[in-house]
């Protein structure tokens, strides 16, 4: 028998319908998003992912938001791949602090075979600690995705970043289609997909609607949808961009929740510059995941004590390890 919750799941969203959601009065949009959220999730529960940059800087790509591109002078010193013990020690601390997922990021256009082997070894180690694993390493070929799956990779993060139309204003060194090809390789390998974008790069509301429509019309919705607010890093071309209206940011979260009801919608980069009230509005709009830990990849994130206190003040709690625990691969 089909339930109202089943009827929430659609893969045929049209751009004009999604734009109409963005145009709703704020209170109606939040009310609808809350309704969908409560049909699919416990509204008090937040999933926590901790990020670690395992290979920082020196990236050949030209993403105009990114401090790790070699083309921009951001003062970041390129570093070699981090050693295994250091990664595992950081993962252990993340688990002790309450994270359930550990995401390893590398500033690569795409990994070479030996780099995939090295990350596969890290994935196996992190998974054996009882954490969900995620990696973000740039473009992947199908056999590389399979290698990472065999090592026990649960999620792969690869963002579309923005709408197909605005994309060329943001990145020129890889195409939107190449991003979709990587997402397909990941999905085909049986790895869960983490895919979202960035708000505040000068895009229009129609671009935001178009970006979310691409995600919501994939054959399977991404299991995680990170919504980042641009972190403006001096030296990057997008430094100095006009700030996005906080309510417009909350609307983006609400629309993501409405059209991808079963996905973990992550309030991602940019939280360090948000006040507690804005974050609470994002949770009310349906965000139920955060990056947790004092650092994102290269920029600051709120301190763990602050996040713990915020959740306590809101009567919310972190998802616990038992809910995500899986047998070792
Ligand atoms: N190099 C890999 C790639 O681009 O696929 C993985 C790491 S990359 C830093 C991961 C994602 O972080 C980007 O796709 C982008 O969405 C996000 N990101 C990077 N810099 C950001 C910034 N300054 N503000 C917000 N999000 C950012
Ligand atoms: C995602 O969507 N956001 C994260 C993660 N996936 C890899 C990265 C945010 C990076 C913010 C800038 C920095 O710290 O370098
Ligand atoms: Fe490189 Fe990823 Fe940064 Fe783009 S977002 S410059 S691919 S590290």
């Amino acid at each position: 028998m089909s339930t109202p919750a089943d009827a929430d799941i659609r893969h045929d969203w049209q751009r004009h319908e999604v734009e109409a959601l963005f145009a709703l009065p704020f209170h109606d949009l939040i009310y609808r998003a809350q309704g969908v959220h409560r049909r699919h999730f416990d509204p008090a529960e937040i999933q926590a992912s901790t990020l670690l940059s395992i290979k920082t800087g020196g990236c050949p790509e030209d993403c105009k938001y990114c401090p790790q591109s070699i083309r921009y002078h951001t003062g970041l010193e390129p570093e070699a791949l981090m050693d295994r013990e250091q990664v595992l020690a950081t993962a252990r601390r993340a688990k002790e602090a309450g994270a359930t997922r550990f995401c390893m990021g590398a500033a690569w256009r795409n990994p070479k075979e030996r780099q995939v082997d090295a990350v596969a070894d890290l994935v196996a180690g992190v998974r054996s600690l009882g954490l969900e694993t995620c990696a973000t390493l740039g473009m992947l070929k199908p056999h590389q995705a399979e290698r990472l799956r065999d090592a026990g990779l649960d999620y792969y993060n690869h963002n579309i970043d923005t709408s197909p139309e605005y994309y060329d204003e943001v990145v020129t060194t890889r195409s939107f289609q190449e991003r979709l090809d990587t997402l397909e390789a990941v999905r085909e390998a049986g790895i869960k997909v983490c895919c979202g974008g960035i708000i505040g790069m000068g895009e229009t509301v129609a671009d935001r609607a178009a970006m979310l429509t691409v995600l919501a019309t994939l054959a399977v919705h991404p299991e995680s949808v990170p919504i980042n607010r641009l972190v403006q890093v001096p030296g990057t071309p997008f430094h100095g961009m006009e700030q996005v209206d906080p309510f417009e940011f909350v609307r983006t979260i609400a629309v993501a929740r409405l059209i991808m009801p079963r996905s973990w919608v992550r309030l991602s980069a940019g939280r360090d510059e948000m006040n507690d009230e804005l974050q609470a509005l994002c949770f009310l709009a349906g965000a139920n995941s955060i990056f947790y830990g004092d650092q994102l990849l290269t920029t600051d994130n709120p301190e763990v004590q602050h996040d713990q206190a915020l959740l306590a003040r809101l009567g919310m709690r972190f998802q616990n390890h038992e809910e995500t625990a899986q047998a070792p691969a």
Side-chain angles (χ1 to χ4, degrees):
M1 200 185 69
S2 169
T3 64
D6 294 332
D8 288 338
I9 313 294
R10 287 178 49 191
H11 297 268
D12 60 351
W13 286 98
Q14 305 286 314
R15 280 188 186 196
H16 69 88
E17 294 177 282
V18 177
E19 286 177 20
L21 293 175
F22 270 94
L24 283 171
F26 189 76
H27 50 271
D28 289 335
L29 176 59
I30 302 302
Y31 179 73
R32 284 183 56 175
Q34 257 286 309
V36 168
H37 192 180
R38 284 167 182 267
R39 279 199 285 280
H40 297 275
F41 285 99
D42 173 347
E45 190 174 87
I46 293 284
Q47 186 275 330
S49 291
T50 293
L51 274 172
L52 177 65
S53 181
I54 57 168
K55 159 69 187 84
T56 302
C59 184
E61 303 287 88
D62 71 351
C63 314
K64 291 198 180 85
Y65 49 75
C66 187
Q68 303 201 68
S69 167
I70 200 158
R71 297 163 193 244
Y72 316 132
H73 301 286
T74 58
L76 202 71
E77 280 296 317
E79 290 169 18
L81 185 64
M82 201 179 263
D83 76 58
R84 191 170 188 275
E85 280 323 303
Q86 206 178 340
V87 174
L88 295 188
T90 312
R92 260 183 229 110
R93 283 197 300 276
K95 185 176 180 189
E96 279 159 19
T100 52
R101 195 182 305 166
F102 192 68
C103 179
M104 294 168 271
W108 290 322
R109 171 178 164 79
N110 54 272
K112 300 184 176 74
E113 302 306 318
R114 63 177 168 74
Q115 292 168 329
V116 173
D117 288 342
V119 175
D121 190 37
L122 298 175
V123 166
V126 170
R127 204 166 195 272
S128 71
L129 301 175
L131 282 159
E132 289 185 319
T133 53
C134 178
T136 180
L137 317 170
M139 292 186 282
L140 280 193
K141 295 263 184 293
H143 73 277
Q144 296 179 318
E146 288 159 15
R147 170 90 180 87
L148 292 168
R149 172 205 61 206
D150 291 344
L153 186 69
D154 296 300
Y155 285 80
Y156 194 77
N157 166 247
H158 197 66
N159 291 339
I160 56 171
D161 281 346
T162 190
S163 69
E165 290 74 21
Y166 195 63
Y167 183 84
D168 291 349
E169 302 295 320
V170 179
V171 188
T172 70
T173 48
R174 76 172 72 160
S175 66
F176 197 83
Q177 185 57 47
E178 284 175 305
R179 302 224 175 207
L180 298 178
D181 294 345
T182 292
L183 293 172
E184 195 180 319
V186 168
R187 181 59 81 197
E188 284 293 308
I191 299 170
K192 293 189 189 114
V193 170
C194 173
C195 183
I198 308 177
I199 305 304
M201 301 191 295
E203 76 285 346
T204 61
V205 174
D207 287 315
R208 292 173 198 151
M211 176 182 88
L212 294 180
T213 305
V214 170
L215 298 178
T217 53
L218 290 171
V220 180
H221 294 164
E223 282 80 2
S224 281
V225 179
I227 305 293
N228 298 276
R229 193 172 80 171
L230 176 69
V231 178
Q232 299 200 7
V233 180
T236 59
F238 283 167
H239 181 244
M241 213 26 116
E242 194 184 333
Q243 296 281 346
V244 41
D245 174 356
F247 296 128
E248 291 299 318
F249 183 80
V250 179
R251 281 177 185 275
T252 310
I253 298 269
V255 173
R257 166 53 63 224
L258 267 172
I259 67 176
M260 291 174 278
R262 293 197 176 124
S263 304
W264 294 98
V265 174
R266 185 174 309 126
L267 173 55
S268 302
R271 282 200 308 120
D272 203 41
E273 292 152 353
M274 294 179 195
N275 63 25
D276 292 344
E277 296 86 330
L278 176 55
Q279 294 186 59
L281 260 186
C282 291
F283 298 144
L284 200 61
N288 61 351
S289 171
I290 56 170
F291 284 125
Y292 176 59
D294 303 352
Q295 277 247 308
L296 291 166
L297 291 175
T298 67
T299 63
D300 291 344
N301 199 43
E303 292 187 358
V304 299
Q305 291 81 0
H306 188 94
D307 281 340
Q308 289 171 354
L310 176 60
L311 290 201
R313 285 166 70 207
L314 297 175
M316 300 178 85
R317 57 185 150 68
F318 286 130
Q319 178 193 41
N320 61 43
H321 287 281
E322 286 64 45
E323 293 168 78
T324 59
Q326 296 162 24

